[in-house]
Amino acid sequence: MDHLMPGVRAAEVQGRIRTHYLESGPSDGEPVVFVHGNLSTSRFFEHLMPGAPERWRILAPDMRCFGRSEPAPIDATRGLGDWADDLVAFLDALGIDRPAHLVGWSTAGAAIALVARARRVASLTFLDPVAPYGFGGTFPDGRPCYPDFAGSGAGVANPEFVRRLREGDRSEDSPLSPRNVMNATYWRPGHREPRDREDVLVDEILLTTISDDGYPGDAQTSENWPGSAPGTRGLLNALSPKYCDWSWLPTLAEKPPVLWTHGSDDVVVADGSALELGTLGASGVVPGWPGADAFPPQPMVSQIREVLEAYRAAGGRVAIEEFAGSGHGPHVDAAEQWAATYWAFLESTRGGR
């Protein structure tokens, strides 16, 4: 493993699975858990650890099938339930019985919501999270475009990109190389990390378990456009609206404070995501699109906002911060601003206890 930043430690613990994690801060500090999303690892949060306020014990686990944790299979029929249960077991294995502050980036937004349903948490931060009705193939109200949820899941993954992941491609010779996909979709347009840091992050992406049980998952053929429906295994199926849902968040009996941070130029989670089949069909990239009446671009940001406004109306506290010009990872491409916003939010939650 490459040299870690000052004050950052790496360790492993056995919970439901063997979990590799990064840690900083005092062992008796108030726990903060950063949870990465799809095609990333704990190291995508490493830069936030040095210089963080000293009262916080910061933890960043590698989730199953990513990074250096055990590549246990993902049961997609549970949505992000495996990740959520792994997080609960991770905290238990570390002997953390006090409520933790949870940050869920992208995919992990659904996982931390499920954790809040299983145990008391101190706060939830949704960092450009997957929409509350999953990724792809829904109408604005969350109804699926087709009964079999065609147009979502592992079958819509780009096979060339998957091949390059499997082969460990570190090049810049194709728009579909992992390095170029990261730079084009994770960050704001034109943002590049320093080359040595970029190399670290690319190498972390390449630790992804490429399989039917990991990324992208298995798939089923469909009579509906575009000819593929989600299977039952692997991460992209877990993100399908067939299985992924956190629209119930406003019904939580105990409502922790919520922060939603969003990059205004996010192309992954957007009203018209560049990676979603409704948008790709409407733009002609994927042929045969049946039209907006049958398969509209998914309004992901609007869906998130609606659920969080319902959470607020039900008595929950919600703070919303948009990072102008940022992409899918404002904690990286606007790191200083994002960190200041986040630590201030945590301070505000302490004042309310």
Side-chain angles (χ1 to χ4, degrees):
M1 187 174 182
D2 292 307
H3 181 67
L4 295 171
M5 293 181 179
V8 180
R9 310 178 291 277
E12 291 188 349
V13 68
Q14 183 67 46
R16 289 181 80 228
I17 64 169
R18 175 185 52 80
T19 300
H20 175 272
Y21 65 98
L22 301 183
E23 179 177 11
S24 69
S27 59
D28 60 350
E30 297 182 48
V32 174
V33 185
F34 290 124
V35 190
H36 68 80
N38 184 20
L39 297 171
S40 58
T41 72
S42 58
R43 296 204 73 177
F44 282 72
F45 291 110
E46 178 188 6
H47 62 288
L48 299 175
M49 296 181 174
E54 294 183 359
R55 68 173 56 90
W56 308 109
R57 180 186 184 184
I58 305 171
L59 302 160
D62 288 346
M63 303 308 292
R64 67 169 64 199
C65 292
F66 295 91
R68 294 167 176 80
S69 290
E70 182 180 340
I74 296 172
D75 179 356
T77 67
R78 304 187 66 226
L80 274 294
D82 277 335
W83 274 27
D85 289 351
D86 290 347
L87 286 168
V88 170
F90 170 70
L91 293 171
D92 289 344
L94 292 176
I96 296 174
D97 56 6
R98 64 197 295 185
H101 297 273
L102 305 181
V103 179
W105 180 28
S106 194
T107 293
I112 65 168
L114 289 168
V115 173
R117 196 159 64 174
R119 66 181 287 166
R120 187 165 173 253
V121 301
S123 70
L124 295 172
T125 294
F126 295 105
L127 171 51
D128 290 73
V130 62
Y133 304 106
F135 194 96
T138 73
F139 291 104
D141 62 3
R143 289 178 298 116
C145 296
Y146 298 116
D148 64 354
F149 294 84
S152 68
V156 303
N158 186 296
E160 173 69 9
F161 175 64
V162 174
R163 180 186 69 80
R164 287 175 176 269
L165 280 173
R166 182 180 288 111
E167 295 176 355
D169 178 16
R170 301 176 81 251
S171 75
E172 297 184 64
D173 66 1
S174 166
L176 292 172
S177 74
R179 183 185 302 272
N180 287 339
V181 169
M182 178 183 75
N183 286 323
T185 64
Y186 290 27
W187 325 133
R188 61 175 167 78
H191 177 82
R192 295 288 292 262
E193 288 290 283
R195 183 65 187 213
D196 58 346
R197 179 64 179 164
E198 181 177 293
D199 287 346
V200 167
L201 298 182
V202 170
D203 286 345
E204 292 293 301
I205 291 173
L206 294 176
L207 294 173
T208 300
T209 300
I210 308 300
S211 71
D212 284 351
D213 287 317
Y215 180 92
D218 64 340
Q220 299 180 5
T221 58
S222 173
E223 296 180 354
N224 299 310
W225 184 83
S228 176
T232 61
R233 300 153 59 197
L235 188 77
L236 292 191
N237 294 318
L239 286 169
S240 164
K242 186 172 184 178
Y243 309 118
C244 180
D245 177 37
W246 56 274
S247 64
W248 45 262
L249 193 77
T251 69
L252 283 177
E254 291 192 25
K255 293 180 171 60
V258 165
L259 171 64
W260 172 30
T261 65
H262 176 65
S264 67
D265 290 354
D266 187 350
V267 299
V268 178
V269 174
D271 287 354
S273 165
L275 305 183
E276 192 265 331
L277 265 290
T279 304
L280 293 171
S283 62
V285 174
V286 178
W289 181 57
D293 290 343
F295 203 114
Q298 183 183 356
M300 301 178 187
V301 172
S302 297
Q303 290 174 337
I304 295 167
R305 188 178 301 278
E306 182 177 348
V307 167
L308 294 184
E309 287 177 349
Y311 186 84
R312 179 184 282 153
R317 175 190 162 196
V318 177
I320 299 172
E321 293 289 342
E322 180 172 276
F323 292 82
S326 279
H328 190 54
H331 65 297
V332 174
D333 69 24
E336 185 175 344
Q337 181 188 0
W338 190 90
T341 297
Y342 183 62
W343 301 128
F345 169 71
L346 289 198
E347 283 298 325
S348 73
T349 66
R350 295 180 83 243
R353 286 188 281 146

